[in-house]
Amino acid sequence: MKKYFSSVILVFFLTFSCTSGILFAETSSTTPEPYKEDEFPQWAHDLRRTEIITFGSLPFVTLGVSIGYGAYGYFTGEFSSFPNPLDKSTDSFSSWQQFKIFATSLGISAGLGTLDLAITLIKRRKAKKKQQLLEESSTRVNVRPLKEPLFTVVDEIPEEE
């Protein structure tokens, strides 16, 4: 009796889970709409760009820092051979050295992201100031004298043949 009851419950749940999508589905379209131009504020765009540049540059900066740290250690005599940062079979760096490499890489990557943010903000401010000056100058009436005269005085009238 218990097997029968559990089988009935199992069939009920399977039937309900398979048909509930059909019964309770919305009739509206499921295609995503593109973002509107003013859906996010400008600071959110800037923050997202800074985040992308910071975390996107992290692997490349980490590789560069580990190669630079290995070269520095090799030339100062700390390492007997040049450590390969891409070789996982050997322990090239100790855990403390790996922490220093990662912390340095994170600092450099954050610096790159912040530098890009500063450059973007400065460019935007200059463009805004230039646009404001253009708008101010277009509302004023500027009178400029002509460099060439409008007409020329002719002393003699040429004769027609």
Side-chain angles (χ1 to χ4, degrees):
M1 185 72 176
K2 279 191 170 186
K3 277 187 172 183
Y4 177 74
F5 184 68
S6 62
S7 299
V8 169
I9 290 176
L10 180 66
V11 168
F12 173 74
F13 280 124
L14 286 175
T15 306
F16 181 74
S17 63
C18 292
T19 59
S20 63
I22 297 169
L23 295 174
F24 301 114
E26 289 186 33
T27 59
S28 64
S29 174
T30 58
T31 57
E33 293 180 20
Y35 290 125
K36 296 178 183 78
E37 193 69 30
D38 58 346
E39 193 161 352
F40 296 106
Q42 188 60 46
W43 64 266
H45 288 288
D46 293 340
L47 185 66
R48 179 67 177 149
R49 178 182 167 96
T50 303
E51 176 189 4
I52 289 170
I53 289 175
T54 299
F55 291 118
S57 66
L58 187 62
F60 304 105
V61 171
T62 303
L63 179 63
V65 168
S66 61
I67 290 173
Y69 184 75
Y72 174 77
Y74 176 70
F75 290 122
T76 58
E78 185 179 343
F79 302 125
S80 60
S81 65
F82 190 80
N84 184 0
L86 300 176
D87 187 15
K88 292 187 176 188
S89 63
T90 62
D91 290 334
S92 300
F93 301 110
S94 68
S95 60
W96 176 245
Q97 290 170 336
Q98 289 176 1
F99 175 75
K100 288 193 301 187
I101 288 171
F102 185 71
T104 305
S105 301
L106 192 60
I108 292 172
S109 294
L112 286 173
T114 306
L115 180 67
D116 178 74
L117 177 65
I119 290 171
T120 303
L121 291 177
I122 289 170
K123 279 179 152 178
R124 189 178 303 128
R125 186 173 36 165
K126 285 178 97 174
K128 191 175 184 181
K129 191 179 287 185
K130 186 176 181 181
Q131 182 66 28
Q132 187 179 15
L133 286 174
L134 283 174
E135 288 174 0
E136 287 174 1
S137 67
S138 66
T139 57
R140 280 187 278 156
V141 176
N142 294 327
V143 179
R144 297 182 188 147
L146 293 173
K147 295 186 183 195
E148 297 180 14
L150 290 175
F151 56 91
T152 58
V153 177
V154 180
D155 291 334
E156 297 179 13
I157 300 175
E159 295 180 17
E160 292 184 17
E161 295 180 25

